[in-house]
Amino acid sequence: QVQLVESGGGLVQPGGSLRLSCAASGLTLDYYAIGWFRQAPGKERERVSCISMSDGSTNYADSVKGRFTISKDNAKNTVYLQMNSLKLEDTAVYYCNEAGAPIATIQYWGQGTQVTVSS
């Protein structure tokens, strides 16, 4: 069973950058893709990016395209989310999880990591 632990969140000013890490254990190759999700106060959880565990192909939500970059380091069993040009609306708790199914069907979520963009 794959387990994922998020880290790297923090407080940053608008226009700043953060890099989130998702450390994986288990047979990650069994996942079609791993995604980064976020949930802001009063808003639904949304998927912001995902990466294929087989070929490394990526997808991004329109709201983060051109600003965020998802990547993986197979040797470290880690998926990253590099977040640049951060905006106030990026403030949320960020989670990583499997990305091959609708969000509503994902039953288990970790602690996540808080990203706060504030001036």
Side-chain angles (χ1 to χ4, degrees), residues 3-114:
Q3 295 191 27
L4 306 170
V5 179
E6 306 94 339
S7 63
L11 176 65
V12 65
Q13 292 185 333
S17 298
L18 284 173
R19 188 183 72 167
L20 307 184
S21 297
C22 175
S25 62
L27 193 59
T28 57
L29 199 60
D30 285 346
Y31 280 178
Y32 170 76
I34 290 178
W36 283 99
F37 306 77
R38 68 185 181 187
Q39 187 166 30
K43 299 179 66 177
E44 295 182 357
R45 199 192 311 265
E46 63 175 334
R47 189 176 73 185
V48 301
S49 185
C50 63
I51 185 166
S52 169
M53 300 308 295
S54 58
D55 64 10
S57 60
T58 60
N59 282 290
Y60 298 91
D62 289 342
S63 59
V64 307
K65 194 170 298 183
R67 300 187 298 118
F68 291 9
T69 303
I70 191 170
S71 63
K72 61 185 178 75
D73 186 332
N74 292 332
K76 297 184 181 297
N77 295 311
T78 301
V79 175
Y80 302 96
L81 185 68
Q82 178 67 45
M83 305 184 295
N84 298 326
S85 302
L86 283 162
K87 304 175 180 179
L88 296 178
E89 53 263 42
D90 294 319
T91 295
V93 178
Y94 284 71
Y95 305 86
C96 61
N97 215 321
E98 59 181 330
I103 293 176
T105 69
I106 301 175
Q107 295 182 285
Y108 305 106
W109 298 90
Q111 292 288 107
T113 186
Q114 176 71 50

